Amino acid sequence: MSRNGDIRGFFGKGGGRNNSQSQSAAASQPVRDLQSPISSPRTPPKPTPKPRDRTEEIKGSDDEGGDSDDSLESISAFIKPKNGPAPYQRDPGLAETPKAKRIASSSASLMKSPLTIQPKHKFDLKYLIDHARQSDRAEESARRADELINQSESDDDGPAQVLADVQNDQVLMHQAAKKLLHNDEEDAKGDKLMRAMTRTKVDGSRRPCYFFNLEQPLLKPPRKPFPQKATKGCWECLANSRTRNQAIILGLPHTIVSKGRALPDEIFLWVLDEVCVERNAQLRVQYCNLVALCPNSITRLVTDVRLYSMLEKIGGPKYSRSQNRTKLQSFPKVEDPYPGRDWTGLVTFLELVERMAPHLSKENIIGAIQLLVRLGLDPIVSTTVRSEHAAAMEALVGALPKLGTRQWDEACETISSYLYESVDEPVNQVLPISHMPRMTSKILDLRRRMAAVALFRDTELGYRPVDETVTLDDIMDRLDSSDFRISASTNYESLQALVALLDTVIGSAGFIMQAHMASSGQDVEAARRKFDADIDGLTFKLKLIHDKIHDSHLLSRKVTKASIELVAKRLTYAVRTRPPPKTSIFDPEPKEDTNIPKQRAFMKNWAQKKAERSAAVLTNGNGNDNGNIDGGIE
């Protein structure tokens, strides 16, 4: 059939082979459209009309043979589905288990250029082997250290003494470092370890005074039985042991005492004995409240002996009549002296002392302060009960007679003498003073008196205020003593304690200002200038001590230098009447010292003589100069 023939020839019955091929192509076209990729399978598609079946044969088609339809395209090319999203079909593979393990593609297939940067592994086999070897060496070093410690414990000397000997002897320390390294490293590695051990070692000269027994106390300490004979009248409510605790928790004894009934002395003393050992927190609180409601009983029955007996139940020392004249026993420092102790009883005791302080007599107040001073020597105060200890001390000092009276001076002398006579070393003497608060004028005066007695080693300084007994010359002379001189045998912990005592004694330096005001009369400005000059001289003295300390090794030296610098800055910026003058680039240059030209001429003459002697040696041909080349001073 020609190209311009009648179109009706296409619908013949004998379509032939080409017609059947067109129909098969038309039938396969919708299948490809349905299996096209889905852009958004999770979004439900809009409803679309049902597509027609393209395989259905059209009636009345032409069956004539011939090649007239070869030039015509299939009718399916003219009939295309409407535009729109394809119908949603669920992927049958989503709910199935993968048939094979997912394997990443090889990196070699991704490398298309020799310049491509190949990724490096974070760990390689060589690094892992080196790491394992280092771990083995560390474990072996720790094992050898344990063997050395066990060997030192089996010797006659204690481990603390052995450690002190090793730290003080450089040869022994170097040998210990080499033993730990097993001589498998370079010699410099042993030197580095030795310097590290020297730099971080702790001075073992300090021996603290422990207040409580270092042995583990009993889980259930012995307790006194309840006094049944005192349960008469209105106090019969406490006779039954089954309901006694519940009655105390509900406040029945407090109600009886608040109505004017006096608590029997036997029950009062029994409550005091139960305060520190009772494990029930509600009962401890009610015991303290009940004792605080009995001021007359506190004045008559609470003494320093009773306070010691209360702490004795939780491991405290026994009271001794001669304890004011004997030295307190010190022990080698222990890393954890009280493992697993429960200090709730000590906290309750200090809180009760704070509440009882206004009702104690003068002698009992002094005894209680001495007890807290002795307790302040124990490291447990600075780590566990520092705030309660400071509050109790402040309440007791506030209950003493008025400041400036004879009774106040006597109390201060007694407390200061007790600290000085009970403890020898300044390292321990400064501890109770540092734990005392600085809130009131009375406690500040007591702190300065205690520090003055410990610093100048004179018990008479505790009877009078520091501003009336100490002068600037006394401070300067004390700084020139052997305790403040830096040498190879200097104990830096003791030096740090002495500096802290000196800082407490100086305070606001009122004794220096009083001396200048008395000498200058009405000229206040002149007195202030002299006062600032004296403070600058005192600061300069401290800086000289500071600069003489070489702090490249020991940690104690660094701490001591920091404490001296802190005191010097406090004097400069807090005690001085005005800050020191600042210098700028516009200020005139300071005048040159008159001795500097003489020193320059001397050095020039010395260098010239040395050059002449060297030239003479070279001229004579003698390579070894037997003369005094470095002398220069005849």
Side-chain angles (χ1 to χ4, degrees):
M1 185 181 293
S2 63
R3 185 177 299 274
N4 297 326
D6 191 356
I7 191 61
R8 290 176 295 180
F10 176 75
F11 297 98
K13 294 183 179 178
R17 181 180 55 85
N18 293 333
N19 191 9
S20 62
Q21 291 179 356
S22 300
Q23 293 178 1
S24 62
S28 61
Q29 182 67 26
V31 177
R32 288 195 300 268
D33 294 340
L34 291 174
Q35 294 182 356
S36 61
I38 303 172
S39 59
S40 57
R42 296 184 180 180
T43 304
K46 296 180 180 180
T48 55
K50 184 177 180 181
R52 294 174 55 185
D53 188 4
R54 302 299 181 182
T55 61
E56 183 179 358
E57 183 178 358
I58 303 175
K59 297 180 179 181
S61 59
D62 191 4
D63 294 337
E64 295 179 359
D67 298 329
S68 60
D69 57 347
D70 293 341
S71 60
L72 296 177
E73 296 181 356
S74 174
I75 193 171
S76 61
F78 298 94
I79 305 173
K80 295 183 178 180
K82 296 181 180 180
N83 294 330
Y88 171 75
Q89 289 185 354
R90 180 182 178 88
D91 189 0
L94 291 178
E96 296 180 359
T97 305
K99 297 181 180 181
K101 183 178 179 181
R102 298 175 182 176
I103 301 176
S105 60
S106 176
S107 60
S109 61
L110 299 177
M111 298 169 54
K112 298 180 180 180
S113 173
L115 299 179
T116 304
I117 299 176
Q118 299 182 5
K120 294 183 178 180
H121 297 286
K122 189 175 183 180
F123 302 103
D124 55 0
L125 186 59
K126 183 178 179 181
Y127 174 80
L128 294 176
I129 293 175
D130 295 340
H131 187 274
R133 290 176 179 175
Q134 292 179 3
S135 179
D136 295 340
R137 284 196 295 267
E139 293 179 357
E140 185 67 19
S141 178
R143 186 185 62 80
R144 294 194 198 98
D146 293 337
E147 291 179 356
L148 292 176
I149 293 174
N150 296 332
Q151 181 180 359
S152 63
E153 291 178 352
S154 61
D155 296 339
D156 296 336
D157 296 335
Q161 182 64 29
V162 174
L163 180 60
D165 295 340
V166 172
Q167 290 179 345
N168 295 330
D169 193 345
Q170 297 293 331
V171 178
L172 293 178
M173 185 177 294
H174 190 270
Q175 293 177 358
K178 298 301 290 182
K179 285 183 179 179
L180 292 176
L181 293 174
H182 196 55
N183 295 328
D184 58 348
E185 298 287 343
E186 297 180 358
D187 209 15
K189 189 68 173 295
D191 296 337
K192 290 181 179 180
L193 180 58
M194 184 185 66
R195 287 196 299 268
M197 293 168 62
T198 305
R199 186 167 52 250
T200 58
K201 75 176 184 179
V202 179
D203 191 2
S205 61
R206 179 183 174 185
R207 296 172 59 89
C209 299
Y210 295 106
F211 185 85
F212 297 94
N213 192 358
L214 295 180
E215 298 179 359
Q216 193 70 18
L218 299 176
L219 295 178
K220 293 183 178 181
R223 304 167 72 168
K224 292 183 179 181
F226 183 80
Q228 294 288 344
K229 296 181 180 181
T231 56
K232 298 179 181 180
C234 60
W235 299 105
E236 291 183 358
C237 59
L238 302 178
N240 191 352
S241 59
R242 297 181 179 179
T243 60
R244 184 185 305 130
N245 293 341
Q246 190 66 21
I248 295 175
I249 292 175
L250 294 177
L252 184 58
H254 308 76
T255 305
I256 298 174
V257 173
S258 61
K259 291 184 177 181
R261 298 298 182 90
L263 182 68
D265 294 345
E266 294 82 358
I267 299 179
F268 181 84
L269 296 177
W270 178 83
V271 170
L272 289 179
D273 293 334
E274 292 291 316
V275 166
C276 296
V277 296
E278 180 58 51
R279 295 181 177 272
N280 192 331
Q282 294 180 346
L283 283 177
R284 288 198 306 268
V285 173
Q286 295 298 336
Y287 286 157
C288 294
N289 295 335
L290 184 59
V291 171
L293 291 176
C294 306
N296 296 329
S297 301
I298 294 174
T299 306
R300 292 184 298 105
L301 302 176
V302 178
T303 61
D304 51 352
V305 181
R306 178 62 58 181
L307 295 178
Y308 270 96
S309 65
M310 293 173 62
L311 294 177
E312 185 179 352
K313 296 181 179 299
I314 57 176
K318 294 183 179 181
Y319 178 81
S320 177
R321 294 289 181 182
S322 60
Q323 65 178 357
N324 295 336
R325 301 178 182 177
T326 58
K327 297 291 184 179
L328 297 178
Q329 184 180 3
S330 60
F331 301 89
K333 188 175 181 180
V334 183
E335 187 68 24
D336 188 8
Y338 310 115
R341 293 280 186 95
D342 184 13
W343 297 111
T344 54
L346 179 59
V347 173
T348 306
F349 171 80
L350 294 174
E351 293 176 351
L352 181 60
V353 170
E354 180 185 0
R355 300 178 67 175
M356 293 190 303
H359 309 295
L360 294 174
S361 61
K362 175 189 171 184
E363 292 77 11
N364 294 330
I365 291 175
I366 295 176
I369 292 176
Q370 292 176 352
L371 186 149
L372 294 186
V373 168
R374 183 176 178 181
L375 180 61
L377 298 172
D378 198 309
I380 193 63
V381 173
S382 59
T383 59
T384 307
V385 293
R386 181 159 189 170
S387 59
E388 292 83 3
H389 181 273
M393 180 67 75
E394 183 179 358
L396 290 172
V397 175
L400 286 173
K402 293 183 179 180
L403 185 66
T405 59
R406 183 178 60 84
Q407 295 179 346
W408 167 258
D409 295 336
E410 292 176 353
C412 292
E413 183 183 14
T414 304
I415 297 171
S416 302
S417 301
Y418 171 76
L419 175 62
Y420 175 70
E421 294 174 355
S422 301
V423 184
D424 286 333
E425 300 178 358
V427 177
N428 292 329
Q429 291 173 350
V430 75
L431 286 178
I433 301 175
S434 63
H435 294 156
M436 297 173 65
R438 306 184 181 106
M439 303 301 294
T440 61
S441 58
K442 295 177 68 174
I443 203 165
L444 285 175
D445 184 48
L446 178 59
R447 291 180 76 255
R448 295 185 66 188
R449 296 192 190 197
M450 296 171 64
V453 171
L455 179 65
F456 295 100
R457 301 168 184 172
D458 187 4
T459 57
E460 295 182 358
L461 295 177
Y463 186 74
R464 299 176 60 188
V466 175
D467 294 337
E468 298 178 4
T469 56
V470 179
T471 61
L472 179 63
D473 295 336
D474 297 334
I475 299 293
M476 292 297 185
D477 294 340
R478 189 69 179 92
L479 289 175
D480 292 334
S481 61
S482 59
D483 295 339
F484 287 88
R485 293 176 185 173
I486 307 301
S487 61
S489 60
T490 300
N491 187 350
Y492 290 97
E493 288 189 355
S494 178
L495 178 60
Q496 180 185 354
L498 291 174
V499 171
L501 292 174
L502 178 67
D503 186 24
T504 305
V505 171
I506 293 174
S508 61
F511 55 93
I512 302 177
M513 179 62 76
Q514 291 177 5
H516 291 307
M517 290 295 294
S519 60
S520 300
Q522 300 297 330
D523 194 354
V524 179
E525 190 63 27
R528 289 181 177 177
R529 287 196 299 268
K530 294 180 181 180
F531 175 79
D532 292 342
D534 291 341
I535 295 299
D536 293 340
L538 183 59
T539 305
F540 180 75
K541 200 87 170 180
L542 292 174
K543 288 184 177 179
L544 288 179
I545 301 175
H546 173 274
D547 296 339
K548 290 180 181 179
I549 301 176
H550 182 60
D551 61 343
S552 62
H553 295 294
L554 293 178
L555 181 63
S556 59
R557 298 190 180 188
K558 297 180 180 293
V559 177
T560 304
K561 290 191 69 174
S563 62
I564 295 176
E565 185 179 4
L566 183 62
V567 175
K569 288 184 177 180
R570 191 187 73 84
L571 294 175
T572 302
Y573 298 102
V575 178
R576 215 172 183 271
T577 57
R578 56 175 60 90
K582 299 180 180 179
T583 57
S584 63
I585 59 175
F586 302 103
D587 295 336
E589 296 182 359
K591 295 182 179 180
E592 188 177 12
D593 191 359
T594 56
N595 295 325
I596 291 181
K598 296 181 181 180
Q599 295 176 1
R600 290 176 180 172
F602 174 78
M603 293 301 298
K604 184 178 181 180
N605 187 20
W606 177 79
Q608 185 176 0
K609 287 182 179 181
K610 184 177 180 180
E612 292 176 357
R613 290 176 181 175
S614 300
V617 170
L618 294 176
T619 303
N620 296 332
N622 186 7
N624 297 326
D625 187 9
N626 297 327
N628 187 11
I629 296 179
D630 294 334
I633 302 176
E634 299 179 354

